[in-house]
Amino acid sequence: MLRTTVTALTGLTALTTAWATPAGATRTAEPWRPVIMAALGDSISAGFNACGWYLPCTSRSWSTGDHQSVRSQYVRLRAADAAVAGNNVNLAIPGSTSADLAGQVTRAVGRRADYVTVLIGAQDACVSEERLMTPVAVYERRVAEALALFRAGRPGGRVFVASIPDVKRLWQIGRKDPVARGFWAVGRICPTMLARPTSTSATDRARRDRVRARVADYNAALARVCAAYGPACRFDGNEVFRQRFTTGHLSKWDFFHPNAAGQKLIAEKTYAMMRDWLTEEETEPVPLLIP
């Protein structure tokens, strides 16, 4: 008899709880906190030439760098929550194009990254000839496939996608500098944009405009892919592309890659676009037992 009474009371408690729960109620989870962060992309995220001669300098990366002069996203996240401390990995590889992103994502999944940053595409446009630039549709498909791999491997992970910087801005601020022009010529740096930098011919002006347009189209593709991914992906809204950086933000080894100041600028602008994730509370529906 006692066992029957206890069982009945337990069932009544459950039913009472269900009746007291209004339709559409939610259970609040803890605010999002990344534990393992990974940088994906090309030489920019690798910190190339940010602290040495033609070498990656991951400590100065805008994404996962740990040098205080840059105040990367990682450093800012670490200050907000110690859980991410020491769990930063830089998988960006200089020279990478969109074709290489899937491989980097696979490695990030293997590292169990729950937050990744993506900045890739400059090398899809900075090729020897215009005809070799990656078609926009191909670029978009590659990025979408790479992010699909991340979703499949780390379904609870989040993605921040930074826009590609305006490569025409490089030409605008460096074309009158003989040192910059010398590095561009000797290193054959981004010929599609930076070849014949002093030329004012209609042909060269049109070429530069087309390359810039291609980068803008890549950025539009990034926005579409991120939107399709859902709320776990954040695009920077072309914040990096819009930056009016100066030669003071460029490495003096090539007048192309960001130096520490340039990396800091990217970190500052991109972190401002995602820091609300740290206070966002994830919610999930509470199932009702009684209609």
Side-chain angles (χ1 to χ4, degrees), residues 14 18 33 40 42 65 84 109 185 193 204 210 230 232 236 244 273:
R33 288 293 186 271
L40 311 179
D42 55 26
V84 77
V109 170
M193 176 60 70
D204 285 320
R210 287 192 299 269
D236 76 354
R244 305 289 290 175
M273 303 295 292

Side-chain angles (χ1 to χ4, degrees), residues 102-166:
Q104 294 182 22
V105 165
T106 299
R107 289 189 286 277
V109 170
R111 297 291 193 98
R112 302 186 63 79
D114 50 13
Y115 175 53
V116 298
T117 65
V118 176
L119 200 176
I120 200 160
Q123 295 301 321
D124 288 87
C126 287
V127 288
S128 58
E129 301 176 44
E130 274 189 85
R131 65 182 180 83
L132 299 177
M133 291 192 298
T134 304
V136 176
V138 174
Y139 176 85
E140 185 167 355
R141 172 177 56 78
R142 289 171 174 172
V143 176
E145 290 174 351
L147 294 195
L149 288 174
F150 185 70
R151 181 195 290 278
R154 302 293 291 162
R158 297 198 182 191
V159 182
F160 183 87
V161 179
S163 53
I164 306 160
D166 185 353

Side-chain angles (χ1 to χ4, degrees), residues 22 90 136 169 195 209 238:
N90 197 310
V136 176
R169 177 69 180 165
D209 288 343
N238 284 313

Side-chain angles (χ1 to χ4, degrees), residues 43-44 47-50 94 123 170 189 249-252 254-259 263:
S43 53
I44 296 177
F48 192 79
N49 273 356
Q123 295 301 321
L170 291 167
I189 297 172
H249 295 110
L250 301 180
S251 169
K252 296 304 183 287
D254 59 12
F255 287 84
F256 179 80
H257 291 94
N259 59 14
Q263 293 282 349

Side-chain angles (χ1 to χ4, degrees), residues 27 47 161 192 203 287:
R27 180 184 294 115
V161 179
T192 44
T203 298

